[in-house]
Amino acid sequence: MSILVDKNTRLLVQGFTGSQATMHSEQSIEYGTNIVGGVTPGKGGQTHLGVPVFNSVHEAVEAVRPNASIIFVPAQFCKDSILEAADAGIKLIICITEGVPTLDMLIVKKRIDELGITLIGPNCPGVITPGEAKLGIMPGSIHMKGSVGIISRSGTLTYEAVKQTSDLGLGQSTCVGIGGDPIPGTSFIDVLKMMQEDQQTKAIVMVGEIGGTAEEEAAEYIKNHVSKPVISYIAGQTAPAGKRMGHAGAIIAGGKGTAADKIKKLEECGVHIAENLLQVGAKVKEVLS
Amino acid sequence: MNLHEYQGKELFKKFGLPVSKNKVITSADEAVNACRDIGGNKWVVKAQVHAGGRGKAGGVKLVNSPEEALEFANQWLGKRLVTYQTDSNGQLVNSILIEECTDIAKELYLSAVVDRGTQRIVFIGSSEGGVNIEEVAENTPEKIIYEPIDPLTGPMGFQARKISRVLDLDAEQAKQFAKMLPQLTDLFITHDLSLLEINPLVITQGGKLHCLDAKINIDSNAIYRQPEIQAMRDPSQEDPREAEAALDDLSYVSLDGNIGCMVNGAGLAMGTMDTIKYFGGSPANFLDVGGTATQERVSKAFKLILADPEVKVVLVNIFGGIVRCDLIAEGILAAIEEVGVSIPVVVRLEGNNADIGSKILAESTAKIVGLNNLEDAAKKAVELSK
């Protein structure tokens, strides 16, 4: 077992014929992901990477029955693309694109919550269940099927955690990049809940960063609802206040959202802290043994 | 992106909100005429910089004659204002706002933000204005109201009444506020704001609500659809290197250490800074070179990092992932050649073909140390920075 994606995932790619979507779709297919089609308005009827291209998600749903969608369209079209997939009845939507306006996300988030849809991202690397399916832009080769669930606001930090847990022979159940934006479709808590229920997951790594209070809220949730060990690393211990550190959501504002506050709260709630990025894998191993 | 107070007030005016009669001047010889055009015999002169705390730093003054306004303009235009929110260099004053003086009966606080917790635009109001709102929140939380706006309904009349009660408004002022709340929301949404703050919102001696200050931040992700806002950008208020990086689509933040950092991915860039600190060094910057570390991007990144005279060593940390590390290594070498980097460069490559990548770097003639392990690379960079 795993969460969100597995061998039965039938993936649709929105913005399929663009260069980024093409490169990452090739990699996903090579990994064994079942891509059943793609959407690029105006290019319907063509074949791309061996699968059909459609003009709309609705046409694709009728023809190839996808149960998940991944979005690579430019930021200004993401609101439309996410809502299109939602309207067509797709229950798992992953938005890779960075730079979606925050006010667009306020509307999108309200709508997908009403419809009971899971949106991962935007501004995220996607989701991978090693050995089963890769829905995203992460390098498949560093992953290994195993027992550690990884949740992260950052792409490359997820890769570090993945590499370390693979090198130590622990492997991963599922890795979920929830994205670096202030209004993510899915929160740490949503994924923690799934990983707590997943039998394959024996320990959970939660990689957070400065900005907002998502880690503090997750800490409170872990204390009350998660019995599996949780190991956390928080990036941005040296970040100055008031500056946006790359990710739209990574900013210490009004004295709130510092790494120190997050670490303190996580520790109080029984989460194991990896003081440094280099210690994530070792900490998991220590906690599990 | 931030706006100046005068730009915020232009937007306020456009959306029907009450602001003082004012003029903006960019040279001192406009001061006297500006005062005469506004009329009256008392004015407030305010240095325009992207930072709070101007009053305490001497950047805001009540003047009783146009000549005094002229003196203030001469004192500040072209100078740098240092406040508790700026660094020690301060911010350049290149414009001054001259306003008709408002007789204040009471100061209140009002702001709107995108709240990450409720995932709504939330209005924050308090009867305690003109002070640090975080302190009010800490010491007297009962004096603050947080009112989220439902995207479906927009701001409702009852919500204006709820806020009015906490602001302690009389019946007339509450009526005025009921008009202002939709105007403010409209401004917030129309221009993709991330923060709108009026501190203070005042009640005048005449009993009217009046916006005495205007602080506005705009969501950078939405700038592409805000041409009017784009035209308001004032590069003189931004760190020159950060502004240049933004033009090249690189994310850069200056820090005060001496180890230049070039990393792919924002999270890993922060993680790298933390690792440097952990081993006793000090990062000179945050820099996310992006997912595809091509020669072109790496060259631009080197130029940015080397423009900081404090930098003694550069640590490049790339988690190659999908892009092959040998290609990245060649790109880095070509960039070093192109830019003419003379200080040591420590490169950590991880991902596909990392070994070949490190070998390419090791065999080069440049002062480069290639390593596959972040711990070794960070330690080496710290050692070279001492």
Side-chain angles (χ1 to χ4, degrees):
Chain A
M1 229 174 87
S2 53
I3 65 164
L4 293 164
V5 304
D6 56 29
K7 280 193 189 110
N8 301 316
T9 301
R10 297 172 58 82
L11 182 64
L12 182 72
V13 182
Q14 290 176 256
F16 190 33
T17 54
S19 65
Q20 288 294 310
T22 300
M23 176 179 89
H24 292 294
S25 297
E26 276 173 340
Q27 300 262 342
S28 289
I29 291 168
E30 201 178 300
Y31 196 79
T33 310
N34 183 16
I35 293 183
V36 295
V39 173
T40 299
K43 295 197 174 171
Q46 298 180 7
T47 299
H48 185 62
L49 307 182
V51 294
V53 182
F54 301 93
N55 287 320
S56 71
V57 177
H58 292 79
E59 284 172 52
V61 165
E62 278 174 31
V64 293
R65 296 174 291 105
N67 56 14
S69 176
I70 188 164
I71 295 174
F72 285 98
V73 306
Q76 59 264 46
F77 306 121
C78 282
K79 179 182 173 189
D80 188 44
S81 292
I82 295 167
L83 294 178
E84 181 185 8
D87 188 65
I90 292 180
K91 295 294 180 195
L92 173 64
I93 303 168
I94 296 169
C95 183
I96 302 296
T97 311
E98 177 173 5
V100 180
T102 307
L103 293 185
D104 285 5
M105 276 310 297
L106 290 186
I107 306 283
V108 165
K109 176 68 176 147
K110 183 170 165 69
R111 189 78 187 118
I112 57 151
D113 283 351
E114 282 167 7
L115 294 169
I117 285 164
T118 300
L119 169 68
I120 309 283
N123 190 14
C124 78
V127 181
I128 183 168
T129 294
E132 304 221 5
K134 168 172 125 73
L135 282 68
I137 60 173
M138 64 290 281
S141 61
I142 57 171
H143 295 79
M144 178 183 137
K145 195 178 179 80
S147 60
V148 183
I150 299 179
I151 325 167
S152 171
R153 280 168 68 186
S154 147
T156 37
L157 282 179
T158 318
Y159 310 163
E160 289 285 349
V162 165
K163 174 107 186 19
Q164 290 176 25
T165 47
S166 289
D167 285 351
L168 291 170
L170 298 164
Q172 306 84 36
S173 51
T174 302
C175 308
V176 184
I178 59 171
D181 276 1
I183 310 289
T186 295
S187 68
F188 280 128
I189 293 175
D190 298 327
V191 186
L192 284 166
K193 192 174 173 190
M194 294 181 224
M195 287 183 171
Q196 169 66 20
E197 286 163 13
D198 173 45
Q199 288 178 5
Q200 188 183 335
T201 304
K202 303 292 179 225
I204 302 166
V205 170
M206 184 171 96
V207 181
E209 62 190 32
I210 55 160
T213 53
E215 290 81 1
E216 287 89 330
E217 286 148 27
E220 197 64 39
Y221 182 85
I222 291 165
K223 188 169 99 183
N224 298 316
H225 303 283
V226 180
S227 59
K228 295 176 183 176
V230 181
I231 297 89
S232 186
Y233 167 68
I234 305 293
Q237 294 165 27
T238 48
K243 293 278 190 182
R244 174 175 142 163
M245 306 302 279
H247 288 152
I251 181 164
I252 299 168
K256 298 240 168 63
T258 64
D261 284 354
K262 289 173 188 296
I263 291 168
K264 185 164 170 264
K265 179 74 184 176
L266 287 162
E267 273 181 331
E268 280 169 14
C269 293
V271 174
H272 305 273
I273 299 293
E275 225 183 299
N276 188 276
L277 172 58
L278 304 163
Q279 298 161 351
V280 174
K283 196 82 194 175
V284 179
K285 187 146 197 179
E286 177 195 316
V287 168
L288 278 178
S289 60
Chain B
M1 180 186 146
N2 300 329
L3 295 186
H4 283 300
E5 174 193 0
Y6 79 88
Q7 295 166 326
K9 284 183 172 169
E10 276 170 28
L11 292 175
F12 277 14
K13 209 170 150 192
K14 190 177 123 188
F15 283 81
L17 294 153
V19 292
S20 306
K21 203 170 164 190
N22 66 47
K23 289 258 171 192
V24 185
I25 62 164
T26 52
S27 79
D29 52 23
E30 299 167 70
V32 172
N33 279 338
C35 290
R36 292 206 176 114
D37 286 350
I38 294 166
N41 54 15
K42 273 193 296 179
W43 301 269
V44 178
V45 285
K46 302 170 107 175
Q48 299 294 290
V49 290
H50 286 186
R54 293 174 299 167
K56 280 182 190 139
V60 177
K61 197 179 174 193
L62 176 70
V63 296
N64 293 302
S65 71
E67 290 68 32
E68 261 188 82
L70 172 67
E71 197 184 314
F72 181 86
N74 273 324
Q75 182 195 339
W76 280 113
L77 280 172
K79 305 282 175 13
R80 302 187 77 89
L81 182 65
V82 179
T83 81
Y84 76 94
Q85 282 189 6
T86 68
D87 61 17
S88 55
N89 288 322
Q91 295 284 98
L92 179 67
V93 180
N94 55 22
S95 57
I96 286 171
L97 178 67
I98 304 182
E99 286 195 330
E100 128 184 281
C101 183
T102 305
D103 292 316
I104 301 166
K106 197 168 175 225
E107 293 186 88
L108 313 170
Y109 176 91
L110 186 71
S111 69
V113 294
V114 175
D115 180 61
R116 297 163 72 151
T118 55
Q119 304 185 322
R120 297 277 185 273
I121 295 170
V122 172
F123 276 87
I124 304 167
S126 173
S127 53
E128 302 284 305
V131 292
N132 185 337
I133 195 66
E134 278 98 26
E135 281 171 23
V136 180
E138 187 78 29
N139 303 326
T140 48
E142 69 283 0
K143 289 184 175 168
I144 294 189
I145 182 169
Y146 300 87
E147 191 64 22
I149 304 299
D150 187 317
L152 188 68
T153 62
M156 301 300 291
F158 77 85
Q159 296 186 293
R161 294 192 288 278
K162 274 169 83 179
I163 300 171
S164 295
R165 190 169 162 219
V166 176
L167 296 183
D168 205 12
L169 303 182
D170 70 20
E172 273 307 306
Q173 291 150 6
K175 220 160 131 188
Q176 197 194 343
F177 186 71
K179 231 179 89 189
M180 285 172 67
L181 187 64
Q183 290 168 331
L184 288 164
T185 311
D186 196 13
L187 164 61
F188 199 101
I189 294 170
T190 304
H191 287 297
D192 278 299
L193 308 196
S194 52
L195 168 77
L196 181 166
E197 186 179 60
I198 312 168
N199 189 20
L201 169 71
V202 302
I203 299 172
T204 63
Q205 294 285 1
K208 298 265 189 228
L209 286 172
H210 194 78
C211 306
L212 214 56
D213 197 4
K215 182 178 175 186
I216 286 182
N217 296 349
I218 291 112
D219 173 15
S220 319
N221 285 354
I223 291 288
Y224 74 88
R225 63 185 181 195
Q226 296 293 343
E228 193 184 337
I229 301 290
Q230 279 169 35
M232 292 180 173
R233 169 158 251 152
D234 181 355
S236 76
Q237 301 298 309
E238 297 164 13
D239 178 292
R241 284 197 295 273
E242 288 173 21
E244 202 192 317
L247 287 177
D248 288 331
D249 204 25
L250 296 168
S251 215
Y252 175 93
V253 176
S254 312
L255 302 168
D256 47 18
N258 61 3
I259 302 177
C261 302
M262 186 190 313
V263 187
N264 68 329
L268 187 56
M270 279 188 273
T272 305
M273 285 158 44
D274 294 349
T275 306
I276 288 171
K277 187 87 173 195
Y278 186 77
F279 290 119
S282 180
N285 64 279
F286 164 94
L287 195 160
D288 174 9
V289 73
T292 49
T294 58
Q295 181 188 336
E296 195 199 351
R297 295 180 67 83
V298 172
S299 292
K300 281 177 178 163
F302 267 122
K303 282 178 194 159
L304 269 171
I305 291 172
L306 297 175
D308 178 352
E310 299 298 318
V311 173
K312 284 192 180 153
V313 52
V314 181
L315 174 60
V316 181
N317 183 14
I318 306 283
F319 204 111
I322 280 164
V323 186
R324 276 163 40 206
C325 288
D326 49 329
L327 293 181
I328 295 173
E330 278 163 11
I332 291 171
L333 283 182
I336 287 174
E337 175 92 359
E338 184 191 330
V339 180
V341 182
S342 56
I343 57 174
V345 179
V346 180
V347 184
R348 179 263 184 151
L349 288 175
E350 183 58 80
N352 290 342
N353 290 356
D355 294 345
I356 307 175
S358 296
K359 203 164 156 235
I360 291 171
L361 294 172
E363 285 167 1
S364 70
T365 50
K367 272 164 91 179
I368 302 173
V369 185
L371 296 159
N372 293 71
N373 171 312
L374 177 56
E375 179 168 350
D376 295 344
K379 280 180 178 164
K380 186 76 192 168
V382 171
E383 180 197 317
L384 290 167
S385 74
K386 300 285 178 187

